[in-house]
Amino acid sequence: MTAELDSSFVEHRSSVRHRVLKRGVIVINSGRSTLNCTLRNISDGGAKLQFDSLLGVPDTFDIITAEILRQTCKVAWRGGAEVGVAFVNAA
């Protein structure tokens, strides 16, 4: 019996994401507000972030973590309490 790849599971990202469990803060409202989040995976071009609630999470924001001093993000998808983001100006 041969195994066939289901096309829905084929990786389409240009860079590999690494699983992490790190605290982060997103900065919104021109730096006047912040929301806590958890980074669930990260790559050179983006990340998956988890929130307690997506209420108030805008389409673009800056993220700050211990490893990322400050990076502008654009939401690529939303689902449940998670968002996938692309890093703006990522190499």
Side-chain angles (χ1 to χ4, degrees):
M1 181 171 188
T2 61
E4 293 184 29
L5 288 178
D6 182 344
S7 63
S8 64
F9 294 109
V10 175
E11 181 64 57
H12 295 286
R13 296 183 184 104
S14 59
S15 59
V16 176
R17 292 200 176 192
H18 303 281
R19 294 174 83 169
V20 295
L21 183 60
K22 299 188 180 288
R23 297 175 75 188
V25 174
I26 68 166
V27 180
I28 55 178
N29 298 327
S30 301
R32 294 186 299 268
S33 302
T34 61
L35 293 172
N36 294 323
C37 67
T38 303
L39 276 80
R40 301 300 305 201
N41 66 38
I42 191 165
S43 73
D44 292 338
K48 178 167 69 170
L49 310 177
Q50 185 175 20
F51 295 86
D52 289 336
S53 169
L54 294 184
L55 186 64
V57 177
D59 291 335
T60 58
F61 52 82
D62 286 352
I63 188 167
I64 301 171
T65 70
E67 292 80 17
I68 305 170
L69 295 180
R70 190 168 186 144
Q71 175 65 56
T72 301
C73 300
K74 181 176 182 178
V75 173
W77 58 266
R78 295 172 187 260
E82 298 176 328
V83 298
V85 298
F87 296 142
V88 176
N89 299 323

